[in-house]
Amino acid sequence: MSLKAGIIGLPNVGKSTLFNAITKQNILAANYPFATIDPNVGIVTVPDERLTFLENLYLPKNTVPTTFEFTDIAGLVKGASKGEGLGNKFLSHIRETDAIVEVVRAFDDENITHVEGKTNPIRDIEIINVELILSDLEIVDNRLEKIIKKAETTKEKEAVLEMEALKKAKTNLEQNIPLRRVDFTLEEKEALRSFNFITLKPLIYCANVLEDTLVVGDNAYTLQIKEYAGKEQSGVIVMSAKLESELSELSDEDKKAFLKELGISSSGLDKLIFATYDLLGLATFFTSGPDECRAWTFKKGMNAKSCAGLIHSDIERGFIKAEVTSFDVLKEYGSELKVKEAGKLRLEGKDYLMQDGDIVYFRFNV
C-alpha cells in the first residue's frame, strides 16, 4: 500500500531541513525561496519495536518494515493559486499526496530570512490555507459549469449528486472553510474523490521550533498554532527540524542517549511519522517466520481477505482462513509453540476485521 504525505509551507520555514532528517538525504536546503524546485521524494521507515522483537525471535533471512513516502514540495507564497512563485506546479504536486504536513515557523532568527518579513505563524497558516482554498474553488467552478448543464438536461442520478456535492463544496470554500471540515455524506465524498481536492485531505501542523523550546515547553508561537489547530480539529507536532537533522546523523544508540540527555522521550520525527500514520487511519499487521518477518500497512476497517490481497492478489482470490494471534499474546508466551499450546492461536474467516498488531498466516488455495 503506497502512502504519501506532502510537506508544505512558506519558503524558509524548515521544510527541506525536515525532509533531510526524515530521509537522511542531502537535498538542497538553502536560505532563499524556491531552493526546492522539483518535489523531492523519500521513503521513510515507520519505527516499530514489535518488528524488532519478531526479528530477534525468528532470526529471519529477511526483515521488511512498513514504509511511508514523504514528498518535500517547493515553498508556497501569496498568489500561488494564480501562478505566483511556482504556482500551479506546486499545487499539482500536493494533489498527488494522501495527507498534508504543514510546516510552520515558530521561532525568531534574524539570520534566517522570512518571506513575509517577520515570524507570525497564524498569518503564515492562513496564507497557505487561502491559496489551497482558492485552488480548489477554481476546480469546483470549472466543473460546475459543465455538470450543471448535464444534470439539468439528463436528470441522471450521478450527475445530480455530483452537482449538489460541488455546490456544497463551493458554498463552504467561499466562506473560507476547508473541505475536510465539511460534513459530506459517503455518496458525496465518492462523487468528489476524482478531483483530488487539496483541502479535503487530512492535515497536521508541524510547529518548527528551536531546540531549547523542546526542553522548556511551548512558546507563544506554538500555543497560537495549537489554539488554531484545535478550532479546526487538526493535530500539531512540535519539533525542531534543525535538531532532527543533527539526530539523523547519529546511530540509534547515540540518538537515544542524546534525547535522554535533553530530557526528551522520543524524537519529533518519530512523533510526526506516527501522527501522520494515524491521521490516515492506518494500522500494521505482521507476517513472520524463519524466511521473513514483515510489517504490512492496512486501513483500519479492512477485513482479513482484503488484507491478504495486500500481500498478493492470488492469496486474496484463494483465501480460505487466517491463522491469527496478537503481538501482545506472542510476546507474553514467548514462542509460537507456546501460543498454540495455550489455545491462543485463532482461525478467522474472510470477514474478520484485522487489528493493529495482528500476526497472521493466510491459508489459501488457487
Side-chain angles (χ1 to χ4, degrees):
M1 180 179 288
S2 178
L3 296 154
K4 300 179 182 179
I7 303 175
I8 69 170
L10 292 176
N12 295 348
V13 297
K15 296 183 291 74
S16 294
T17 302
L18 174 60
F19 181 81
N20 286 346
I22 287 176
T23 61
K24 297 184 181 179
Q25 294 184 25
N26 187 27
I27 63 166
L28 178 63
N31 182 25
Y32 54 88
F34 314 124
T36 309
I37 303 295
D38 295 313
N40 293 278
V41 179
I43 306 298
V44 60
T45 298
V46 178
D48 199 322
E49 294 181 353
R50 297 173 298 183
L51 186 62
T52 303
F53 177 89
L54 293 175
E55 184 179 22
N56 293 333
L57 179 65
Y58 288 96
L59 301 175
K61 298 173 184 176
N62 193 31
T63 301
V64 184
T66 188
T67 58
F68 210 106
E69 185 174 301
F70 279 91
T71 304
D72 176 40
I73 305 171
L76 181 64
V77 295
K78 283 182 181 178
S81 59
K82 302 299 181 184
E84 293 294 326
L86 297 175
N88 291 326
K89 180 178 180 181
F90 166 89
L91 294 167
S92 68
H93 293 316
I94 304 178
R95 296 192 187 284
E96 298 168 5
T97 64
D98 300 301
I100 297 173
V101 177
E102 186 170 330
V103 181
V104 186
R105 180 165 158 178
F107 65 90
D108 294 313
D109 189 334
E110 61 183 20
N111 295 316
I112 301 179
T113 304
H114 194 295
V115 71
E116 289 295 321
K118 64 179 182 178
T119 307
N120 185 330
I122 304 307
R123 176 207 57 208
D124 294 353
I125 288 172
E126 291 183 342
I127 285 174
I128 289 180
N129 288 354
V130 166
E131 294 303 327
L132 301 185
I133 284 171
L134 289 174
S135 178
D136 279 353
L137 187 57
E138 182 179 5
I139 292 178
V140 169
D141 286 338
N142 289 340
R143 179 57 180 166
L144 268 175
E145 288 183 13
K146 301 174 183 177
I147 197 64
I148 286 176
K149 293 178 182 178
K150 181 178 180 180
E152 292 178 345
T153 302
T154 66
K155 307 295 183 183
E156 291 180 4
K157 182 179 179 181
E158 289 185 359
V160 172
L161 176 62
E162 182 182 328
M163 178 186 69
E164 294 301 326
L166 287 168
K167 284 183 176 180
K168 189 173 180 178
K170 178 179 173 67
T171 298
N172 283 277
L173 290 171
E174 288 179 337
Q175 295 176 31
N176 207 32
I177 299 173
L179 297 183
R180 62 181 167 273
R181 291 172 53 192
V182 180
D183 187 22
F184 290 111
T185 65
L186 291 177
E187 291 79 9
E188 288 171 335
K189 286 181 179 179
E190 183 60 29
L192 298 176
R193 187 165 61 90
S194 63
F195 297 107
N196 277 334
F197 287 125
I198 300 173
T199 65
L200 196 54
K201 299 179 186 297
L203 177 146
I204 189 167
Y205 293 104
C206 175
N208 185 19
V209 301
L210 298 177
E211 180 182 316
D212 58 357
T213 301
L214 295 177
V215 178
V216 302
D218 286 313
N219 62 27
Y221 296 138
T222 60
L223 290 174
Q224 291 172 24
I225 296 168
K226 287 182 176 181
E227 182 181 3
Y228 186 97
K231 291 176 181 177
E232 61 171 38
Q233 297 182 322
S234 294
V236 178
I237 295 294
V238 178
M239 62 189 296
S240 168
K242 184 175 182 295
L243 174 62
E244 297 300 328
S245 184
E246 293 170 354
L247 287 171
S248 70
E249 302 299 325
L250 303 176
S251 67
D252 288 343
E253 188 174 315
D254 288 343
K255 183 168 69 173
K256 289 179 180 178
F258 187 33
L259 290 172
K260 185 177 181 180
E261 185 179 328
L262 291 174
I264 300 172
S265 58
S266 59
S267 76
L269 277 183
D270 286 353
K271 291 178 182 177
L272 177 61
I273 292 168
F274 286 128
T276 309
Y277 203 69
D278 187 60
L279 186 68
L280 290 169
L282 305 177
T284 304
F285 73 86
F286 302 93
T287 51
S288 58
D291 289 328
E292 181 182 84
C293 287
R294 183 163 184 160
W296 300 87
T297 300
F298 70 99
K299 284 272 190 182
K300 293 176 182 177
M302 287 179 66
N303 62 30
K305 185 177 180 181
S306 296
C307 284
L310 296 176
I311 299 175
H312 199 286
S313 58
D314 285 348
I315 301 178
E316 180 177 16
R317 184 161 52 88
F319 180 93
I320 299 173
K321 289 285 183 180
E323 295 181 7
V324 184
T325 188
S326 72
F327 172 80
D328 289 340
V329 168
L330 178 62
K331 187 175 181 180
E332 179 185 350
Y333 284 90
S335 74
E336 194 174 305
L337 178 61
K338 290 181 179 179
V339 168
K340 291 179 180 178
E341 290 174 346
K344 297 294 183 178
L345 184 66
R346 312 187 313 270
L347 274 182
E348 301 286 0
K350 63 181 181 179
D351 295 326
Y352 167 71
L353 295 182
M354 294 285 284
Q355 301 298 310
D356 184 56
D358 276 349
I359 302 170
V360 190
Y361 174 77
F362 292 105
R363 295 183 185 179
F364 69 103
N365 183 36
V366 290

